[in-house]
Amino acid sequence: MSKEITTQVVVLGGGPGGYSAAFRAADLGLDAVIVERYNTLGGVCLNVGCIPSKALLHLAKHMEDAKHMAAEGITFAEPKIDLDKIRAHKEKVIGQLTGGLSQMAKMRKAQVVNGTGEFVSDKQLKVTDAEGNETLINFEHAIIAAGSQSIKLPFVPHDDERIWDSTAALELRFIPKRMLILGGGIIGLEMGTVYSALGAQVDVVEMTDQLIPPADKDVMKAYMKMIKSKFDNIMLNTKAAKVEAKKDAIHVTFEGDNAPDKPVKYDAVLVAVGRAPNGAKLGAENAGVKVTERGFIEVDKQLRTNVNNIFAIGDIIGQPMLAHKAVHEGHVAAEVIAGKKHFFDPKVIPSIAYTDPELAWAGLTEKEAKAQGIDYEVAVFPWSASGRAIAQGATDGMTKLLFDKHNRIIGGATVGPNAGELLGEIGLAIEMGCDAEDIALTVHAHPTLHESIGLAAEVFEGSITDLP
Ligand code: FAD
């Protein structure tokens, strides 16, 4: 060992879960060390996930909006696409945020050790950097925040450079003429939205009977009305059965209800079929930490693993694999280590597809309420009756709220432009235990899209008299 350090808390992984845990631990007066194999903090989210995808989706949205304004009397010239500049813009956004994190770590005196970490025991972690130098970290407590990676499919030649995972898609290697998104979940659809705006002809194949499978059918119906123009062919109840990398193109053979009868040629294929936890590669067994066959680490409500002084947070402990979940779990783990009797017990972990339009939900979906045998009622406010939605051509959007038998809000969903931003109010209302009257009596500004939440509650109460 070339170096040895001792700390109260070591955090394995510098993503949103890891840095949030380390910063909270430091703020509570504990020594904290972050171990990260890459040169920057921020993990998947800041480097190759949430942030770069949103930087590109922001550009895509402007391009799409510009196209659709001709009918309203304004015509823009055809956009000129400079991939180098777009890439530079994306890198600048990432750099600003990861640079900020590194400053925040310094301010808190949270040490960052770069290299790959592996447990030696339940008190020691070995870190090996790119040059092979080793650091032994003696710790009192550890927080495992090692995240997840894209799932690879056994029948797909992933080593071909025209076959992408989300990280490769974010590199903007080239704009394919024809592209396939394999998997109709949020990550695939977001990247498909970007490439469609950049001029690619994009197909989507999804094994189940709808895109974004957790969403309710009525919400999906509104979403499909708007999203389908972005894609050339959406093949539901269909799977890619064979993917062959040939010289001229990637040849994909489909099977299922909407399978084309011949293989289809694509210039690029994005495989977006989900993410697998990184639990198998951490030497967790040396510390006695149980890892499931799929690589997840099980924890209790205080984020403690089966080993008393070792905690785990973020993607590695399970669904939903979202940055905001990881951040809150990180805080709780650090607080518990600092002696606080805290639990991770949210009513709501919001989910948002930042496509165009956006689709967002928080709390229970109708599907979940049914499966749990909960007595519920639904109230829907269609955006065709919203003055603001009409003014901005978003009349296919909708706001849906779910109430329990005590009229308390238990879930909600929104579809349309900025749907993700509207979701904040629904999330807060559920956490605060609001009932329909609380929401209906809250004065919402007019004309706004979030007014649709108050109006949906009025629909539920039967108190709606006039529509804006
Ligand atoms: P990660 O962010 O995965 O960080 C884990 C870190 O641990 C990594 O930096 C990794 O290098 C490091 N690590 C792993 N093993 C070791 C080791 N042995 N030694 C040292 N370091 C190690 N979520 C949202 O909430 N909103 C979004 O809009 C969103 N968009 C996304 C878009 C894309 C394209 C992708 C791929 C994901 C997106 N996500 C989004 C998901 C989000 O990125 C993850 O949920 C989040 O990053 C999980 O945080 P984490 O801290 O658990 O792990």
Side-chain angles (χ1 to χ4, degrees):
M1 292 289 160
S2 48
K3 211 172 152 196
E4 187 163 337
I5 51 181
T6 296
T7 184
Q8 287 171 299
V9 184
V10 66
V11 182
L12 181 54
Y19 70 73
S20 302
F23 292 177
R24 181 59 56 96
D27 291 345
L28 290 169
L30 299 168
D31 280 344
V33 172
I34 305 173
V35 175
E36 171 53 55
R37 61 187 167 186
Y38 296 130
N39 289 334
T40 54
L41 292 179
V44 169
C45 181
L46 264 68
N47 293 288
V48 289
C50 329
I51 298 300
S53 59
K54 271 63 212 184
L56 299 180
L57 280 160
H58 161 76
L59 303 180
K61 174 89 173 92
H62 282 302
M63 288 168 70
E64 284 296 305
D65 284 351
K67 260 192 227 162
H68 293 117
M69 285 177 88
E72 289 150 26
I74 301 178
T75 309
F76 292 92
E78 272 298 298
K80 286 188 188 138
I81 294 167
D82 182 334
L83 274 190
D84 291 336
K85 272 199 183 155
I86 297 178
R87 232 179 272 117
H89 159 72
K90 179 197 71 167
E91 294 304 327
K92 191 172 155 213
V93 172
I94 296 172
Q96 197 171 329
L97 287 161
T98 54
L101 280 180
S102 146
Q103 285 306 319
M104 282 155 80
K106 276 196 193 118
M107 270 164 47
R108 292 174 161 89
K109 300 193 173 52
Q111 190 181 344
V112 179
V113 177
N114 286 116
T116 301
E118 203 184 337
F119 284 96
V120 177
S121 71
D122 61 357
K123 298 273 182 313
Q124 289 185 317
L125 187 87
K126 183 180 76 179
V127 184
T128 311
D129 73 12
E131 281 80 46
N133 303 313
E134 291 182 354
T135 304
L136 186 69
I137 302 177
N138 301 300
F139 62 84
E140 286 170 27
H141 291 94
I143 301 176
I144 304 174
S148 64
Q149 58 186 314
S150 300
I151 290 177
K152 290 192 182 345
L153 293 171
F155 62 92
V156 172
H158 285 276
D159 52 353
D160 189 285
E161 69 157 32
R162 297 160 298 174
I163 295 188
W164 299 341
D165 59 11
S166 56
T167 302
L170 286 165
E171 285 169 10
L172 298 176
R173 293 175 181 172
F174 61 94
I175 303 171
K177 211 161 166 232
R178 286 204 74 172
M179 175 177 187
L180 174 68
I181 309 290
L182 206 165
I186 292 180
I187 293 177
L189 294 177
E190 287 186 359
M191 292 317 302
T193 302
V194 169
Y195 278 92
S196 160
L198 292 174
Q201 208 177 309
V202 181
D203 289 354
V204 182
V205 61
E206 164 57 43
M207 241 165 56
T208 69
D209 64 354
Q210 71 169 51
L211 300 179
I212 312 182
D216 282 334
K217 293 272 176 225
D218 54 347
V219 171
M220 189 43 62
K221 200 168 159 199
Y223 181 71
M224 284 301 279
K225 245 182 166 174
M226 291 177 269
I227 197 82
K228 68 178 185 221
S229 65
K230 304 278 179 304
F231 302 121
D232 202 48
N233 187 10
I234 299 176
M235 297 169 268
L236 300 175
N237 283 320
T238 304
K239 61 181 186 186
K242 201 160 154 199
V243 177
E244 296 167 287
K246 296 194 180 174
K247 211 165 168 203
D248 63 332
I250 309 290
H251 294 228
V252 182
T253 310
F254 297 94
E255 273 174 9
D257 291 1
N258 297 297
D261 45 18
K262 284 198 302 231
V264 183
K265 293 183 193 179
Y266 294 101
D267 305 304
V269 173
L270 165 61
V271 181
V273 293
R275 297 184 61 80
N278 287 330
K281 303 166 193 155
L282 311 171
E285 64 288 353
N286 300 331
V289 173
K290 274 193 212 143
V291 179
T292 68
E293 221 166 274
R294 293 175 60 204
F296 286 110
I297 295 177
E298 284 169 11
V299 292
D300 64 15
K301 280 201 161 187
Q302 290 192 306
L303 290 318
R304 200 187 297 268
T305 67
N306 61 305
V307 177
N308 206 35
N309 64 325
I310 303 185
F311 294 70
I313 56 171
D315 284 8
I316 204 158
I317 67 166
Q319 300 290 350
M321 288 189 179
L322 292 168
H324 38 280
K325 181 188 79 106
V327 166
H328 280 264
E329 288 170 344
H331 290 160
V332 172
E335 288 158 5
V336 173
I337 291 170
K340 296 185 187 294
K341 292 189 168 52
H342 288 179
F343 292 86
F344 183 69
D345 192 20
K347 286 192 189 144
V348 170
I349 299 174
S351 290
I352 302 173
Y354 299 84
T355 46
D356 180 19
E358 293 183 352
L359 186 161
W361 72 96
L364 292 181
T365 61
E366 213 178 326
K367 275 183 202 169
E368 288 169 332
K370 258 188 208 137
Q372 293 175 26
I374 292 172
D375 218 352
Y376 70 89
E377 269 187 64
V378 171
V380 170
F381 188 82
W383 288 15
S384 53
S386 151
R388 184 60 184 270
I390 294 169
Q392 62 185 73
T395 48
D396 288 327
M398 71 181 279
T399 295
K400 171 178 179 177
L401 303 179
L402 249 67
F403 296 96
D404 69 9
K405 60 179 179 201
H406 307 293
N407 296 352
R408 208 171 295 136
I409 181 166
I410 53 171
T414 47
V415 186
N418 286 331
E421 301 293 339
L422 308 194
L423 198 67
E425 177 178 350
I426 298 178
L428 185 64
I430 300 171
E431 280 294 347
M432 301 298 290
C434 292
D435 63 21
E437 195 179 19
D438 294 324
I439 302 169
L441 290 179
T442 300
V443 180
H444 290 78
H446 174 75
T448 57
L449 294 173
H450 82 263
E451 202 177 11
S452 65
I453 297 168
L455 291 165
E458 287 192 37
V459 168
F460 177 79
E461 292 240 289
S463 60
I464 200 159
T465 49
D466 46 3
L467 299 175

